[in-house]
């Protein structure tokens, strides 16, 4: 009933603006392009500019139900299309009618809503001032009379739209704002929020959530969509989600609001979506995060090209740290969680190195010159300390020949054997430059990342080492196997026991295989196997039987 009244009130304007009304539906000639925003009439531009420059204020009082007031608001929405939403043009005297009773709320279809994808208008591909149609789920720009959302509301009869930035809901073509608490669940899915109290309770929560299709899911244990060969990203994200301080930091946007990096904000959004208990569906698509990764890594990691999780993990941690720190010397949540310290002793080999020189210039003191060939002897050890975010472990070579039974036996090695690389005595030889290296851990991080080098590339193809590593799922005691430094402060106990929280595994051939990850759920101490969208509970014994590729251990407190 209310709607007809309003139409009558506006009928005069409609007759006066009949030409303009014709244009909204379809352009009468190819030269006119009313459907494209930012190509509005010059008169509108001049009017808007004149209003700002001249400081012209409307003296008329505008009541909520005043049809004239609604019309002028819509005119200003045309300017909204022209200048984008944060603009100062035509904003001085803007009033939007707010109503609680919208007759179209029952047309909202939550099944089609998906806010995981980039926020671009589906017609103009612009990311300014984008609205989502809550009836069909598509994104459109603007809500003024010449905008794509307005046109869609007339053509398709879809009337309820949400602004993806401000989260305000509007009814088009009428143009009033809808204030109804029944839409709060949509706002929560669009932008999940956590209070500090909720964040602290996350690891104690044993409750399952229910998606719109009736399926149950565990917040934090949701599958990630494999867009195209992006399983290396999915397993990295799933394992990082188990690192409690890192997760808690990214769940609250105030912690990194100073940061201008899109990668940091997309990673925070993805973290909040994974741990949100009120999602409409039981999986998340990391599409926006992948776009930010492609841009920040200059397409080193991209959709459709398989990469190694260890390279991606290393790049991601270093980039997040660089973006989050406020000055060159300041730390970040990344370094607080993962940074340890190594003491490196580098011995250069004692042999004559000959270099052909055309001129006999002096290098490193006074070398011996014979027929343009310089001979110099290098000797000595160099000791220095370096920080690390992850430790690389070398696997023993698999057997080259088959045994009596005509089968290649898959060798097994205990984790403690390959950890001896860091005992300060075992020598690791590097080829370029030729040197003998010894490593010793001088500071343990709160979260220890271990990487087993399974892949090697020779001149012809990529090879995979199938050696199984035997490791404990709980109580990895490091001090029994590698020498550790004494605690810096008195009365401080050195924490050397670690528990496994994530284990990334590679299955299949080197170039065709796929990655999956075993992760632990803290609230019930259960293990789950995750491969893209598939999440299933598993036994701790199964975790230890897999071809481990990368592991994250948590220090016992």
């Amino acid at each position: 009933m209310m709607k007809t009244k309003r139409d009558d009130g506006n009928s005069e304007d409609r007759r006066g603006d009949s030409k303009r009304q014709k244009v909204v539906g379809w352009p009468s000639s190819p030269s006119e392009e009313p459907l494209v925003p930012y190509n509005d009439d010059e008169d509108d531009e001049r009017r808007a500019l004149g209003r700002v420059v001249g400081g012209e204020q409307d003296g008329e009082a505008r009541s909520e139900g005043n049809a004239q007031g609604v019309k002028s608001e819509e005119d200003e929405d045309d300017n909204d299309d022209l200048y984008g939403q944060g603009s100062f043009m035509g904003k001085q005297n803007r009033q939007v009618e707010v109503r609680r009773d919208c007759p179209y709320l029952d047309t909202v279809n939550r099944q089609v809503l998906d806010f995981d994808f980039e926020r671009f208008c589906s017609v103009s591909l612009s990311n300014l001032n984008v609205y989502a149609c809550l009836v069909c789920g598509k994104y459109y720009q603007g809500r003024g009379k010449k905008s794509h959302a307005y046109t869609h509301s007339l053509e398709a009869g879809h009337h309820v739209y949400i602004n993806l930035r401000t989260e305000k809901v509007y009814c088009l073509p009428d143009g009033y704002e809808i204030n109804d608490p029944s839409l709060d669940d949509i706002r929560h899915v669009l932008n999940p929020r956590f209070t500090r109290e909720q964040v602290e309770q996350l690891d104690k929560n044993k409750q399952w959530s229910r998606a719109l299709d009736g399926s149950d899911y565990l917040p934090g244990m949701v599958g990630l969509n494999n867009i195209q060969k992006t399983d290396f990203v999915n397993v990295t994200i799933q394992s990082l989600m188990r690192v409690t301080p890192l997760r808690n930091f990214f769940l609250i946007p105030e912690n990194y609001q100073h940061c201008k990096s899109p990668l940091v904000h997309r990673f925070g959004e993805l973290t909040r979506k994974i741990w949100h208990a009120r999602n409409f569906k039981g999986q998340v698509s990391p599409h926006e995060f992948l776009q930010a990764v492609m841009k920040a890594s200059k397409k080193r990691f991209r959709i459709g090209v398989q990469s190694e999780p260890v390279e991606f993990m290393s790049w991601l941690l270093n980039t997040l740290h660089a973006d989050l720190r406020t000055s060159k010397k300041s730390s970040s949540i990344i370094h607080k969680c993962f940074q340890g310290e190594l003491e490196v002793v580098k011995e250069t080999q004692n042999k004559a190195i000959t270099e052909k020189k055309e001129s006999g210039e002096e290098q490193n003191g006074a070398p011996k010159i014979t027929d343009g060939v310089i001979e110099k002897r290098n000797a000595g050890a160099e000791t220095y300390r370096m920080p690390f975010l992850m430790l690389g472990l070398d696997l023993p070579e698999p057997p080259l020949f088959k045994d009596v039974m005509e089968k290649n036996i898959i060798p097994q090695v205990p984790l403690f054997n390959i950890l001896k690389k860091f005992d300060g005595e075992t020598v690791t030889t590097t080829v370029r430059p030729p040197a003998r290296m010894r490593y010793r851990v001088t500071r343990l991080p709160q979260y220890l990342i271990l990487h087993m080098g399974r892949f090697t590339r020779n001149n012809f193809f990529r090879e995979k080492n199938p050696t199984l590593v035997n490791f404990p799922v709980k109580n990895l005691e490091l001090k029994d196997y590698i020498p550790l430094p004494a605690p810096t402060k008195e009365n401080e106990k050195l924490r050397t026991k670690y528990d496994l929280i994530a284990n990334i595994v590679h299955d299949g051939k080197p170039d065709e295989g796929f990655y999956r990850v075993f992760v632990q759920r803290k609230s019930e101490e259960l293990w789950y196997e995750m491969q893209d969208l598939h999440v299933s509970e598993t036994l701790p014994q199964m975790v230890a039987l897999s071809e481990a590729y990368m592991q994250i251990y948590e220090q016992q407190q």
Side-chain angles (χ1 to χ4, degrees):
M1 196 66 185
M2 199 173 292
K3 209 162 175 293
T4 37
K5 253 189 213 170
R6 169 137 173 213
D7 285 349
D8 293 341
N10 265 345
S11 60
E12 242 179 79
D13 297 338
R14 282 231 182 84
R15 279 198 296 278
D17 276 52
S18 60
K19 273 187 196 168
R20 189 170 177 183
Q21 280 292 351
K22 251 181 234 165
V23 164
V24 170
W26 296 97
S28 53
S29 72
S31 62
E32 297 176 283
E33 291 185 351
L35 297 186
V36 183
Y38 312 109
N39 262 355
D40 222 332
D41 300 339
E42 286 180 16
D43 300 347
D44 275 355
E45 275 190 55
R46 269 193 224 108
R47 206 181 312 132
L49 285 165
R51 195 179 293 142
V52 172
V53 175
E56 179 180 309
Q57 296 284 339
D58 285 351
E60 304 157 17
R62 301 177 178 192
S63 65
E64 273 192 7
N66 186 354
Q68 187 62 35
V70 173
K71 184 180 183 307
S72 88
E73 189 271 312
E74 284 178 349
D75 279 347
E76 295 198 1
D77 264 329
D78 289 344
N79 300 330
D80 192 4
D81 297 336
L82 276 167
Y83 303 107
Q85 193 160 4
S87 166
F88 61 92
M89 302 289 184
K91 286 267 179 176
Q92 263 114 326
N93 45 13
R94 177 172 192 151
Q95 282 187 351
V96 182
E97 183 188 357
V98 180
R99 281 168 55 171
R100 281 179 163 277
D101 53 335
C102 177
Y104 300 112
L105 281 182
D106 60 340
T107 62
V108 172
N109 182 2
R110 286 167 173 77
Q111 303 279 357
V112 297
L113 298 183
D114 187 352
F115 300 120
D116 288 348
F117 290 91
E118 291 168 295
R119 293 163 189 190
F120 284 106
C121 171
S122 57
V123 181
S124 67
L125 297 181
S126 165
N127 62 349
L128 295 169
N129 201 16
V130 179
Y131 290 77
C133 171
L134 295 184
V135 184
C136 64
K138 289 182 182 171
Y139 293 175
Y140 294 99
Q141 191 179 14
R143 66 171 202 279
K145 280 194 175 174
K146 295 184 180 178
S147 67
H148 299 298
Y150 191 90
T151 309
H152 177 70
S153 73
L154 293 173
E155 284 179 353
H158 298 170
H159 299 290
V160 190
Y161 295 81
I162 186 167
N163 185 314
L164 295 177
R165 195 175 62 84
T166 63
E167 299 176 23
K168 288 183 178 177
V169 181
Y170 297 92
C171 179
L172 294 182
D174 300 349
Y176 58 84
E177 186 185 334
I178 306 167
N179 180 11
D180 193 301
S182 69
L183 297 167
D184 285 349
D185 60 336
I186 296 175
R187 292 191 179 99
H188 272 278
V189 172
L190 172 61
N191 187 8
R193 302 165 182 79
F194 290 85
T195 62
R196 294 193 185 271
E197 293 72 38
Q198 286 172 326
V199 168
E200 282 163 20
Q201 296 300 315
L202 271 182
D203 285 334
K204 295 170 189 164
N205 173 40
K206 297 183 181 180
Q207 198 174 354
W208 289 64
S209 294
R210 176 153 290 186
L212 282 182
D213 59 1
S215 61
D216 292 330
Y217 71 92
L218 277 166
M221 295 285 166
V222 295
L224 290 176
N225 198 2
N226 183 348
I227 291 169
Q228 196 189 350
K229 293 187 180 174
T230 55
D231 49 340
F232 72 97
V233 175
N234 292 352
V235 292
T236 306
I237 291 167
Q238 293 285 23
S239 49
L240 285 177
M241 289 298 113
R242 313 306 134 201
V243 180
T244 312
L246 183 75
R247 177 203 69 192
N248 293 355
F249 177 86
F250 278 101
L251 283 178
I252 297 173
E254 287 75 46
N255 291 333
Y256 48 92
Q257 60 188 7
H258 67 275
C259 180
K260 292 190 170 59
S261 159
L263 183 73
V264 170
H265 289 282
R266 294 294 93 82
F267 186 73
E269 267 175 35
L270 187 56
T271 308
R272 292 198 298 279
K273 282 177 181 171
I274 288 173
W275 285 94
H276 189 47
R278 291 164 65 181
N279 284 334
F280 286 164
K281 53 192 194 315
Q283 74 259 1
V284 175
S285 186
H287 197 270
E288 284 193 276
F289 175 70
L290 283 165
Q291 295 292 341
V293 165
M294 281 165 65
K295 197 170 178 185
S297 68
K298 300 190 171 82
K299 296 211 172 166
R300 178 181 165 192
F301 304 104
R302 60 184 193 269
I303 296 171
V305 180
Q306 183 70 275
S307 298
E308 284 199 41
V310 64
E311 290 176 14
F312 180 67
M313 175 80 89
S314 174
W315 173 85
L316 181 65
L317 294 180
N318 282 303
T319 311
L320 287 176
H321 165 71
D323 290 346
L324 282 169
R325 65 182 179 183
T326 46
S327 67
K328 285 275 185 192
K329 289 183 180 175
S330 65
S331 184
S332 72
I333 186 70
I334 305 291
H335 278 189
K336 283 173 191 160
C337 290
F338 300 110
Q339 193 180 49
E341 194 180 57
L342 279 179
E343 184 184 82
V344 184
V345 180
K346 181 179 176 183
E347 292 177 11
T348 41
Q349 291 176 355
N350 257 344
K351 66 175 185 182
I353 296 173
T354 59
E355 295 173 4
K356 292 208 169 188
K357 290 277 176 185
E358 289 181 15
S359 60
E361 301 155 0
E362 282 203 359
Q363 270 193 347
N364 298 338
K368 183 183 167 193
I369 304 172
T370 46
D371 301 330
V373 175
I374 298 182
E375 289 182 12
K376 57 182 182 185
R377 299 182 77 79
N378 274 356
E382 177 189 355
T383 306
Y384 54 91
R385 293 196 171 194
M386 60 183 286
F388 70 86
L389 290 177
M390 62 172 81
L391 294 177
L393 304 175
D394 304 323
L395 295 175
E397 289 294 320
L400 199 55
F401 301 105
K402 295 182 177 179
D403 67 346
V404 187
M405 306 292 291
E406 288 297 312
K407 283 188 179 138
N408 269 3
I409 295 174
I410 295 176
Q412 298 189 27
V413 59
L415 179 66
F416 309 112
N417 286 12
I418 53 177
L419 271 174
K420 283 181 181 167
K421 176 180 177 180
F422 298 100
D423 63 2
E425 292 168 12
T426 306
V427 172
T428 310
T429 311
T430 58
V431 182
R432 292 194 191 116
R436 290 156 60 85
M437 315 285 271
R438 293 203 305 272
Y439 304 101
R440 186 169 69 85
V441 178
T442 52
R443 190 179 78 243
L444 286 170
Q446 188 182 350
Y447 288 86
L448 180 67
I449 305 178
L450 300 179
H451 158 244
M452 290 77 177
R454 286 203 176 272
F455 299 108
T456 49
R457 187 178 285 283
N458 57 27
N459 290 338
F460 309 103
F461 50 84
R462 219 160 146 240
E463 287 180 297
K464 179 181 171 184
N465 189 330
T467 304
L468 290 177
V469 179
N470 300 325
F471 55 88
V473 174
K474 269 198 166 317
N475 298 323
L476 167 69
E477 179 57 277
L478 287 180
K479 71 176 180 200
D480 297 347
Y481 302 96
I482 55 175
L484 294 169
T488 47
K489 297 171 189 166
E490 285 182 30
N491 305 326
E492 187 188 31
K493 187 174 177 285
L494 188 66
R495 298 192 183 100
T496 57
K497 269 192 182 179
Y498 282 82
D499 293 335
L500 186 70
I501 53 170
N503 181 34
I504 295 176
V505 173
H506 182 269
D507 296 318
K509 295 179 180 173
D511 292 317
E512 301 162 12
F514 53 88
Y515 294 96
R516 57 196 169 97
V517 61
F518 293 95
V519 297
Q520 189 194 34
R521 186 174 180 225
K522 290 251 180 84
S523 57
E524 296 167 322
E525 296 209 347
L526 294 175
W527 281 89
Y528 286 84
E529 180 187 338
M530 303 173 115
Q531 185 190 331
D532 299 331
L533 292 173
H534 302 288
V535 180
S536 56
E537 197 180 320
T538 187
L539 294 167
Q541 294 88 321
M542 297 300 293
V543 180
L545 288 175
S546 50
E547 293 181 16
Y549 171 82
M550 188 155 63
Q551 300 178 323
I552 301 182
Y553 284 90
E554 181 180 36
Q555 202 173 46
Q556 287 185 3
Q557 295 302 317

